[in-house]
Amino acid sequence: MPLLDPTLIFPVTHPDGRVSRTTVYLKNIIDHPRMEIGDYSYYTHYGKLAETAEILAPYLFTGSHERLVIGKFVQIARGSYFVTSSANHPMSGITTYPFRIFKPETFGYNDLPVKDTVVGHDVWIGHDAVIMPGVQIGAGAIIAASSVVTRNVPPYAVVGGNPATLIRMRYTDEIIAELLDLAWWDWPIEKIEANLQALETGDLEALKKA
Ligand SMILES: CC(C)(COP(=O)(O)OP(=O)(O)OC[C@H]1O[C@@H](n2cnc3c(N)ncnc32)[C@H](O)[C@@H]1OP(=O)(O)O)[C@@H](O)C(=O)NCCC(=O)NCCS
């Protein structure tokens, strides 16, 4: 079996040989000065390939200052997207009308604090989720389908709803600390694949010896 190839654009080939054109490794198709995306992180969407960055983060346009940082092995389902800081209209005055976006020389102006959005490694973002500005999602977290995530999500938490609240923690605090320390996502792909069974079954003892 060949190893997972992080350089592919379309990493999913069906058993009948058909290559899925809707699941893409983001790193290989997005070239955006304020998006940082780790290896093996994928997004499923049905839009045009060239529009992937816009579909994923529609407000990270020219003149915006915030960043979107996505770790490795992040799984982003169809319909999910990031509403980043520049999406916010000014709220401290009388009007929220964004007068300044209609003139190129003032387009990037916004008196609101800029907050980066950060998604940790191995996060699973379910179908149709919306991640709001400045949210930080810890490694191994799960975002339930159709959630609106307005607050930070701790590592290995499962959150859901609008606004998203904690459904459950996937592991105890002690195990989460061990998993973060293990950082399997930083292993070479050969080591990851050699230890797939332990990763899939949650055999932490085997992983610690790997
Ligand atoms: C979050 C998720 C993983 C939870 O799965 P699970 O651990 O089997 O959880 P359960 O179905 O037992 O539900 C546990 C609780 O979470 C709630 N819940 C589940 N999905 C939810 C959602 N999308 N939004 C809000 N709450 C949700 C349930 O109502 C239940 O609440 P209760 O304990 O008060 O009854 C799953 O519901 C989900 O959203 N998966 C995403 C699937 C998807 O979008 N795939 C896209 C292709 S990758």
Side-chain angles (χ1 to χ4, degrees):
M1 280 275 284
L3 295 166
L4 260 63
D5 181 353
T7 66
L8 293 174
I9 290 176
F10 303 115
V12 175
T13 301
H14 294 267
D16 62 3
R18 192 171 46 90
V19 175
S20 167
R21 311 287 291 185
T22 53
T23 295
V24 292
Y25 274 158
L26 287 168
K27 186 179 176 179
N28 304 328
I29 49 163
I30 291 184
D31 180 16
H32 187 293
R34 287 175 310 290
M35 275 195 210
E36 192 183 302
I37 299 159
D39 284 344
Y40 306 100
S41 289
Y42 72 81
Y43 185 30
T44 301
H45 77 88
Y46 290 73
K48 289 188 182 136
L49 197 60
E51 290 168 5
T52 304
E54 264 179 276
I55 295 169
L56 186 70
Y59 304 98
L60 205 56
F61 30 54
T62 321
S64 60
H65 301 289
E66 71 274 22
R67 291 189 320 138
L68 172 61
V69 180
I70 295 176
K72 298 181 201 168
F73 298 97
V74 174
Q75 314 120 60
I76 309 176
R78 180 185 181 184
S80 293
Y81 59 93
F82 294 87
V83 175
T84 57
S85 262
S86 293
N88 282 327
H89 290 201
M91 289 180 281
S92 54
I94 290 165
T95 179
T96 56
Y97 193 81
F99 283 96
R100 291 168 187 268
I101 69 167
F102 299 99
K103 292 180 187 166
E105 59 275 20
T106 55
F107 183 88
Y109 172 85
N110 197 334
D111 58 357
L112 293 165
V114 168
K115 291 188 278 182
D116 293 343
T117 300
V118 182
V119 182
H121 307 294
D122 191 24
V123 167
W124 175 28
I125 300 180
H127 192 98
D128 268 347
V130 181
I131 315 300
M132 295 303 287
V135 163
Q136 309 218 346
I137 302 176
I142 297 173
I143 311 300
S146 295
S147 299
V148 178
V149 185
T150 60
R151 296 286 179 256
N152 292 350
V153 178
Y156 291 96
V158 183
V159 301
N162 179 5
T165 54
L166 184 68
I167 293 175
R168 63 185 161 82
M169 294 303 292
R170 297 179 60 198
Y171 299 103
T172 62
D173 288 350
E174 293 72 29
I175 292 180
I176 291 171
E178 289 190 307
L179 289 170
L180 294 175
D181 198 38
L182 192 71
W184 67 263
W185 39 78
D186 288 334
W187 294 356
I189 194 66
E190 293 80 1
K191 183 173 171 184
I192 291 173
E193 296 211 14
N195 290 280
L196 255 196
Q197 201 184 353
L199 279 167
E200 289 172 343
T201 57
D203 188 346
L204 186 53
E205 290 315 307
L207 293 172
K208 284 199 282 191
K209 286 183 206 136

